[in-house]
């Protein structure tokens, strides 16, 4: 006959076994009494995390085939064409234009849509600087909408209040592979007849209501930079269902020349463009990398969802939530908020140091992009003042105040996507290490 466990008997047994107990909101859980590695104890994780990128003979063969073909430029070979067709099929888009990197995909999208001086572009402050750079390259005015700290995404409920007669584009970002609230984004875009460029550079195979991220807006932009879930060192892509817009993106990224230009036909289709083309090496390598991208995505999702379940049980740890429409989080990053109070006031910097000492790489993530020094200097430059006027520039900082994002930037903690590619036991070790840090938080804070 099994003994009948009560909270009191469990606590007593745990104490006899030498296991410490903690509680939060009336809920008890066991914690490790072990000394943290930062104070001289043994690290929780002594092994290595899954390496990135993952390569095998397919990748080597792909590069060597291009090397020996002598056709390294996308106008000579067929590898980039093959990739564009395959990536369109993978995402469910009708058209794909490959670019040299994700920043270029954003730049080409904005160029094809005619975004320029005098236009305002709405974007989140919690994103990589490339999102902002694409706006500034067009001499458009960035307008930041505050972050929803529970999801780390743009707070779509606040977008409409930021729209003016000068608003020309909505630029939501699916940060970390989690989805922005695309129902809300598309609703306000439709109401105000605004195009939407999805920055899906971190969201390969992420989904919103069963549709791949990047396919819901006017265009979707992706990065294949070395850290990304689909990787060719550098690389990018624009996807869209609009054939005319795809042609404009192509021309913008090809010095104004149309697709399928025969030989050296010097006919130009736009007066303002650049050279943002992908090489045959990148296209071929991406075809090899795509052979494993679905399996890797599923592994990240399984481990990411499981780790979220574990960490929600730890007081002070708040994994990023997903909106109801997010049916597949790509988990380019595993993101959570750290609250110091349940950790005896231990600072986030000290918490991060303790995690790293336990063998768990971790980052504090982004700083507030709307407060970047370079941005203030650019907006106060002669060209921006000439375009927008002294009053607009003087009022810009107050207009772009994002208090929720400021707080998030002080609380955020990231794990990188490769950490989710190992066995489920790796997730257990992460949770164990955080519990150990919490148990010894007071000592860590004093040290």
């Amino acid at each position: 006959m099994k003994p009948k466990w009560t909270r009191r008997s469990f606590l007593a047994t745990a104490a006899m076994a030498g296991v410490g107990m903690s509680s939060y909101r009336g809920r008890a859980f066991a914690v490790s009494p072990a000394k943290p590695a930062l104070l001289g104890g043994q690290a929780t994780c002594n092994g290595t995390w899954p390496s990135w990128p993952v390569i095998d003979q397919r990748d080597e063969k792909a590069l060597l085939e291009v090397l020996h073909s002598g056709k390294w430029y996308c106008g000579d070979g067929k590898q980039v064409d093959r990739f564009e067709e395959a990536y369109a099929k993978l995402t469910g888009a009708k058209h794909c234009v490959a670019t040299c990197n994700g920043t270029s995909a954003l730049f080409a999208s904005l160029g094809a849509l005619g975004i320029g001086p005098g236009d305002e572009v709405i974007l989140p402050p919690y994103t990589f600087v490339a999102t902002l750079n694409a706006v500034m390259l067009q001499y458009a005015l960035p307008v930041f909408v505050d972050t929803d700290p529970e999801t780390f995404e743009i707070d779509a409920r606040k977008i409409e209040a930021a729209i003016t007669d000068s608003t020309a584009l909505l630029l939501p970002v699916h940060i970390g592979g989690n989805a922005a609230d695309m129902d809300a984004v598309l609703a306000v875009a439709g109401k105000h007849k605004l195009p939407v460029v999805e920055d899906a550079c971190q969201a390969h195979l992420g989904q919103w209501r069963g549709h791949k991220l990047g396919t819901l807006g006017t265009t979707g932009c992706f990065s294949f930079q070395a850290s990304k879930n689909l990787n060719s060192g550098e690389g990018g892509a624009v996807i869209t269902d609009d054939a005319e817009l795809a042609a404009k993106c192509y021309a913008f990224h090809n010095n104004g020349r149309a697709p399928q230009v025969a030989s050296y036909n010097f006919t130009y289709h736009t007066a303002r463009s650049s050279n943002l083309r992908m090489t045959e090496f990148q296209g071929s390598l991406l075809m090899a990398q795509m052979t494993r991208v679905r399996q890797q995505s599923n592994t990240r999702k399984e481990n990411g969802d499981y780790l979220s379940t574990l960490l929600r049980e730890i007081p002070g740890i708040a994994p990023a939530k997903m909106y109801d429409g997010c049916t597949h989080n790509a988990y380019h990053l595993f993101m959570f908020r750290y609250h110091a109070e349940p950790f005896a006031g231990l600072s986030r910097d000290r918490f991060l140091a303790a995690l790293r000492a336990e063998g768990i790489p971790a980052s504090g993530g982004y700083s507030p992009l709307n407060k970047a020094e370079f941005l203030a200097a650019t907006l106060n430059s002669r060209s921006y003042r000439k375009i927008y006027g002294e009053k607009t520039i003087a009022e810009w900082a107050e207009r772009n105040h994002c208090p929720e994002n400021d707080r998030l930037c002080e609380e955020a903690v990231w794990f990188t996507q490769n950490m989710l590619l190992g066995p489920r036991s790796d997730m257990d070790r992460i949770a164990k290490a955080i519990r150990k840090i919490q148990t010894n938080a007071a000592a860590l804070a004093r040290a």
Side-chain angles (χ1 to χ4, degrees):
M1 183 177 178
K2 293 182 179 180
K4 182 177 180 181
W5 287 98
T6 66
R7 183 176 184 274
R8 180 175 296 178
S9 61
F10 175 70
L11 289 170
T13 303
M16 289 175 62
V19 178
M21 295 301 302
S22 185
S23 63
Y24 183 64
R25 294 178 181 174
R27 182 170 186 168
F29 53 86
V31 290
S32 170
K35 181 187 291 187
L38 197 60
L39 298 181
Q42 184 175 352
T44 304
C45 302
N46 292 316
T48 57
W49 296 91
S51 61
W52 188 257
V54 176
I55 59 173
D56 60 25
Q57 292 181 340
R58 288 170 290 186
D59 306 275
E60 183 178 357
K61 181 181 178 182
L63 291 173
L64 288 175
E65 283 182 353
V66 174
L67 180 69
H68 293 300
S69 74
K71 297 179 179 180
W72 299 356
Y73 157 60
C74 60
D76 292 334
K78 295 296 181 183
Q79 298 301 326
V80 173
D81 291 344
R82 288 178 58 227
F83 168 71
E84 289 174 333
E85 182 179 350
Y87 199 67
K89 183 177 180 180
L90 180 69
T91 59
K94 292 181 180 178
H95 307 281
C96 174
V97 177
T99 62
C100 57
N101 51 53
T103 308
S104 298
L106 292 163
F107 187 32
S109 287
L110 270 62
L113 288 166
I115 304 301
D119 289 334
E120 294 182 357
V121 175
I122 290 177
L123 70 161
Y126 200 78
T127 184
F128 182 58
V129 69
T131 313
L132 173 61
N133 282 337
V135 175
M136 306 299 281
L137 282 168
Q138 303 291 3
Y139 282 88
L141 186 70
V143 175
F144 291 100
V145 168
D146 210 352
T147 307
D148 172 6
E150 291 198 342
T151 63
F152 288 61
E153 310 299 319
I154 188 170
D155 191 338
R157 299 166 298 183
K158 298 178 180 178
I159 290 176
E160 188 160 26
I163 292 175
T164 70
D165 291 341
S166 298
T167 304
L169 177 70
L170 304 186
L171 182 50
V173 181
H174 303 301
I175 206 69
N178 198 1
D181 185 348
M182 290 307 295
D183 287 353
V185 171
L186 295 173
V188 72
K191 178 179 178 180
H192 293 274
K193 297 180 173 54
L194 294 169
V196 175
V197 170
E198 292 177 76
D199 183 339
C201 288
Q202 298 182 0
H204 312 80
L205 299 186
Q207 295 181 25
W208 182 265
R209 303 200 187 283
H211 298 280
K212 298 292 193 304
L213 296 179
T215 64
L216 296 110
T218 312
T219 71
C221 299
F222 292 86
S223 169
F224 310 121
Q225 181 267 346
S227 70
K228 300 302 189 296
N229 298 16
L230 181 58
N231 169 21
S232 56
E234 285 288 359
V238 180
I239 60 173
T240 182
D241 285 344
D242 186 327
E244 182 179 354
L245 185 57
K248 289 180 179 179
C249 287
Y250 188 98
F252 189 92
H253 102 303
N254 192 35
N255 279 319
R257 302 170 77 194
Q260 309 302 324
V261 172
S263 186
Y264 284 91
N265 182 328
F266 295 104
T267 301
Y268 305 107
H269 294 259
T270 178
R272 188 169 182 274
S273 55
S274 187
N275 176 4
L276 311 171
R277 297 184 298 253
M278 177 179 281
T279 70
E280 288 289 282
F281 288 104
Q282 291 169 294
S284 186
L285 182 57
L286 283 166
M287 290 297 294
Q289 289 282 304
M290 283 173 66
T291 61
R292 57 182 75 91
V293 67
R294 288 185 186 274
Q295 179 270 321
Q296 290 170 337
S297 182
N298 291 336
T299 298
R300 289 189 196 92
K301 175 172 170 51
E302 291 172 4
N303 279 331
D305 289 350
Y306 177 63
L307 182 57
S308 292
T309 300
L310 294 178
L311 297 192
R312 286 192 188 102
E313 298 295 317
I314 302 177
I317 303 297
K321 292 182 179 179
M322 296 185 293
Y323 295 112
D324 290 341
C326 183
T327 50
H328 187 111
N329 187 334
Y331 283 113
H332 173 63
L333 299 167
F334 184 93
M335 306 178 294
F336 64 90
R337 287 175 294 144
Y338 168 74
H339 301 298
E341 184 179 354
F343 284 77
L346 185 70
S347 71
R348 185 186 62 166
D349 285 347
R350 190 66 170 163
F351 173 76
L352 288 170
L355 268 180
R356 294 167 189 147
E358 296 296 333
I360 301 170
S363 165
Y366 297 130
S367 58
L369 192 54
N370 57 314
K371 293 183 174 181
E373 290 184 10
F374 83 88
L375 176 56
T378 302
L379 292 175
N380 281 282
S381 67
R382 176 180 57 83
S383 55
Y384 263 85
R385 287 182 173 275
K386 186 174 182 179
I387 294 167
Y388 297 99
E390 297 288 339
K391 184 174 185 293
T392 296
I393 299 302
E395 295 174 349
W396 185 91
E398 180 59 32
R399 180 186 177 191
N400 287 268
H401 182 50
C402 298
E404 293 297 329
N405 188 71
D406 292 344
R407 182 163 59 88
L408 175 63
C409 290
E410 295 174 353
E411 297 174 348
V413 177
W414 292 357
F415 300 140
T416 52
Q417 53 88 6
N418 62 297
M419 295 172 66
L420 303 179
L421 291 177
R424 176 169 284 201
S425 56
D426 283 352
M427 308 303 105
D428 292 319
R429 279 189 282 272
I430 291 173
K432 179 181 178 182
I434 293 175
R435 288 195 184 281
K436 180 163 68 166
I437 292 168
Q438 187 169 64
T439 304
N440 295 275
L444 285 164
R446 290 193 302 268

